[in-house]
Amino acid sequence: MLGQQLLRTMGASLAKSFRREVHSGRALRLTSTSDNALGRFIDRSAKPPRILITGGLGQLGTECAKLLRKNYGDENVILSDIIKPVDESLMNGPFIFADILDFKGLQKIVVNYRVDWLIHFSALLSAVGEQNVPLAVRINIEGLHNVIELAKQYNLRIFVPSTIGAFGPDSPRNPTPNVTVQRPRTIYGVSKVHAELLGEYYHHKFGLDFRCLRFPGVISSDPPGGGTTDYAVAVFHEGLLHKRYECYLEPHTRLPMMYIDDCLSALFQFLNAPCERLQRRVYNVTAMSFTPEELFAEIKKHLPELQVTYNPDSRQNIANTWPQVFDDSEARRDWGWQHEYDMEKLVVSMIQDVGENFIPKYQRLAEVSSYV
Ligand SMILES: NC(=O)c1ccc[n+]([C@@H]2O[C@H](COP(=O)([O-])OP(=O)(O)OC[C@H]3O[C@@H](n4cnc5c(N)ncnc54)[C@H](O)[C@@H]3O)[C@@H](O)[C@H]2O)c1
């Protein structure tokens, strides 16, 4: 029951403390063939960049650090966050405290570590942002002001992820092109449109090397941080543990998605793309689109006893305004983006990863908790 309760009520803080529990002792996961092939995008004759990752202990940051360290060296990738790291995060390279609301603190890090590139992951995600709008404004907007100004002052290349949540009910939903009406209805989406526009403005006005990818829902075995697409991760954890899952979205809610390995390949490839190939600074990227019903049917091929019920909550209203199918043809055309994982491959990989790395730990935690 412990794992189930944690996953059910997975707000940002719970997800994080749980992530700390299950992360410890876990092996490096990036094993995909694409990871090895990514080396071809690097100029080996050039000095490796020093990279600072903010919000690095979230769903994307830890895996991203592994990939970058593999390609640029452990010491050249500085992971940072405001939460306490597990041993694993400390073992593989530098980890430091960095609060994105503290401009002077960030300045000190950039100078002391001679940072060249900044990967800005800190954010409050869509569902969590709606629960605390003033905090989302501070983290997602004030924080962005700090890192972008810092990048300008110290001439850093800066990557800021955006999202399908940067679109809204007035946007075409199937497909959603790279440039179209946005007007999102969540503070998360509003802050991401702000980031996209400010980054483009700094690029045109000051020559800032701002790069931004709009990611769809990212699926990885790590418990996510409170987004609207989290069901596509939670079902693997709860489904494998309890053989049942209650979904907070309606069965026909179609959303764009991407497996973590593809998300990181896109990031890596885009970060290394020569400026002359970039016709714009903000690109849509995606791999697939599916509904909860389609995903669960695919999982049931491997786990026939899985029982799913539906109990839509406020996240349904958010999903109803988001793209169903994302048009990423411009990324494919300009810098050669290609995904590797479709839904079938994703399901196989998730079942294996969650089954091996998480379920035994949930079971151990449940045993311990039954004694207290
Ligand atoms: N995960 C997805 O599906 C997805 C999809 C599209 C875009 N993105 C974007 O990618 C980025 C990373 O997403 P994620 O899923 O890893 O998020 P996450 O919620 O898992 O992690 C965000 C991290 O930011 C940190 N943070 C919060 N306040 C901070 C502060 N004041 N200073 C420094 N760090 C702070 C948190 O501690 C957390 O570790 C976000 O910008 C998100 O908008 C994610």
Side-chain angles (χ1 to χ4, degrees), residues 191-241:
S191 68
K192 289 296 184 178
V193 176
H194 174 72
E196 293 178 7
L197 292 176
L198 198 66
E200 282 183 354
Y201 173 77
Y202 269 58
H203 172 68
H204 295 299
K205 174 102 178 164
F206 305 114
L208 178 71
D209 192 352
F210 170 80
R211 301 183 183 215
C212 173
L213 294 179
R214 293 189 191 115
F215 291 130
V218 178
I219 301 172
S220 70
S221 58
D222 289 322
T228 301
T229 53
D230 290 1
Y231 86 86
V233 175
V235 63
F236 289 96
H237 292 264
E238 286 200 37
L240 287 173
L241 191 62

Side-chain angles (χ1 to χ4, degrees), residues 1-19:
M1 284 310 276
L2 182 67
Q4 190 181 27
Q5 277 165 9
L6 283 170
L7 285 159
R8 277 256 162 74
T9 51
M10 199 186 279
S13 60
L14 260 186
K16 263 151 218 150
S17 60
F18 191 53
R19 183 183 288 139

Side-chain angles (χ1 to χ4, degrees), residues 12 16 19 54-61 80-83 98-101 120-125 139 160-164 188 192 213-219 223-226 229-230:
K16 263 151 218 150
R19 183 183 288 139
T54 69
L57 296 183
Q59 187 195 2
L60 304 192
S80 74
D81 208 306
I82 53 169
I83 56 175
D99 182 349
I100 53 154
L101 298 176
H120 180 54
F121 278 154
S122 307
L124 289 200
L125 304 192
I139 306 290
V160 179
S162 186
T163 155
I164 50 173
Y188 178 62
K192 289 296 184 178
L213 294 179
R214 293 189 191 115
F215 291 130
V218 178
I219 301 172
T229 53
D230 290 1

Side-chain angles (χ1 to χ4, degrees), residues 238-251:
E238 286 200 37
L240 287 173
L241 191 62
H242 298 294
K243 316 285 181 268
R244 56 179 189 273
Y245 178 65
E246 184 177 275
C247 183
Y248 57 80
L249 292 183
E250 287 165 3

Side-chain angles (χ1 to χ4, degrees), residues 42-49:
I42 302 180
D43 174 4
R44 296 275 173 206
S45 63
K47 189 171 150 284

